[in-house]
Amino acid sequence: HKSAKIDQSKWSPLRQFTFKLLSDERFEWVLSAMILANAVCLVIETETKATRDLPASQPGSRRHSRPLSWQMPVNVFFTALFSLELTAKLYTFRREYFSSLANILDMILILADVISEIAMISDLGVRGSAFRVLRLLRAVRVLRALRSIPWTKELYIMLFGFVASMKAIFWAGMLIAVLLAMWGVVAVNWIH
């Protein structure tokens, strides 16, 4: 949100303060650090669950171990932090908040986090693929942290070079598949 686009003259002092805070680059950097810390916790949580579910005979198995004691409070902390940020943005930007697809995606991720944390805390017995999808949506939030990284010229060139090379690799793969199919037909007809 650019301050030049928004008329703040009729806003309350609290709303103006919240706008300045949310628009501050340092706030974005701190929030990005929190998102990355949340991603690290997600990786640790996933590793703990994966090793817990291994057969007892397999090396690295922690079959009878329970989730680490700090995982649930940390998840609740991050969910509360991101919910507070969402509330502040909704209070400040109101309808304009919904003009950005990134904001809508972020709101969906936070609401999915809130739902999954409530289900975990209240132990509703919610399990299965739908619950896993809610938990995995947290990993998508890492993309949000990448938005606040200042895009230097070198990083921009590298990123778009990577995308361009993926296009070339795709078309090279298609060409190889067509050539293999064509020469396969020739070989089958020639040998038989």
Side-chain angles (χ1 to χ4, degrees):
H1 296 283
K2 303 289 184 214
S3 56
K5 292 181 179 180
I6 299 173
D7 179 25
Q8 302 176 31
S9 62
K10 297 178 183 175
W11 287 7
S12 69
L14 177 62
R15 191 172 174 198
Q16 290 177 1
F17 171 77
T18 309
F19 177 79
K20 287 177 186 172
L21 177 70
L22 293 171
S23 301
D24 190 357
E25 186 177 321
R26 293 172 293 189
F27 177 79
E28 278 295 319
W29 279 100
V30 169
L31 201 58
S32 295
M34 291 292 148
I35 292 169
L36 293 175
N38 188 19
V40 169
C41 292
L42 178 64
V43 168
I44 293 170
E45 179 182 338
T46 303
E47 192 272 336
T48 301
K49 286 180 182 178
T51 56
R52 185 181 64 220
D53 294 339
L54 289 174
S57 61
Q58 188 167 345
S61 171
R62 297 184 209 146
R63 185 138 182 93
H64 298 292
S65 68
R66 295 190 332 213
L68 301 174
S69 61
W70 57 267
Q71 285 177 335
M72 185 174 283
V74 168
N75 285 338
V76 169
F77 167 75
F78 282 123
T79 301
L81 179 79
F82 298 137
S83 298
L84 182 64
E85 183 228 359
L86 173 66
T87 304
K89 284 186 174 183
L90 286 172
Y91 169 73
T92 304
F93 300 113
R94 301 188 181 165
R95 276 185 274 156
E96 189 174 322
Y97 178 82
F98 298 100
S99 65
S100 167
L101 187 61
N103 286 343
I104 294 170
L105 176 64
D106 197 38
M107 184 176 72
I108 290 169
L109 294 174
I110 292 169
L111 291 176
D113 250 2
V114 168
I115 291 168
S116 66
E117 287 303 322
I118 289 172
M120 287 290 291
I121 290 171
S122 61
D123 197 26
L124 295 174
V126 179
R127 299 289 181 256
S129 61
F131 184 70
R132 285 189 202 120
V133 168
L134 286 176
R135 303 295 286 172
L136 287 175
L137 283 175
R138 293 189 306 169
V140 176
R141 190 175 292 127
V142 174
L143 296 175
R144 181 176 162 213
L146 297 177
R147 283 192 305 170
S148 63
I149 295 174
W151 292 98
T152 62
K153 181 180 177 183
E154 294 82 10
L155 184 59
Y156 180 83
I157 291 169
M158 189 173 73
L159 179 65
F160 282 93
F162 177 74
V163 170
S165 68
M166 293 305 290
K167 289 179 189 176
I169 290 171
F170 170 77
W171 288 115
M174 294 299 291
L175 179 63
I176 289 171
V178 167
L179 288 173
L180 283 174
M182 182 185 75
W183 286 109
V185 168
V186 169
V188 167
N189 286 324
W190 189 31
I191 293 174
H192 292 301

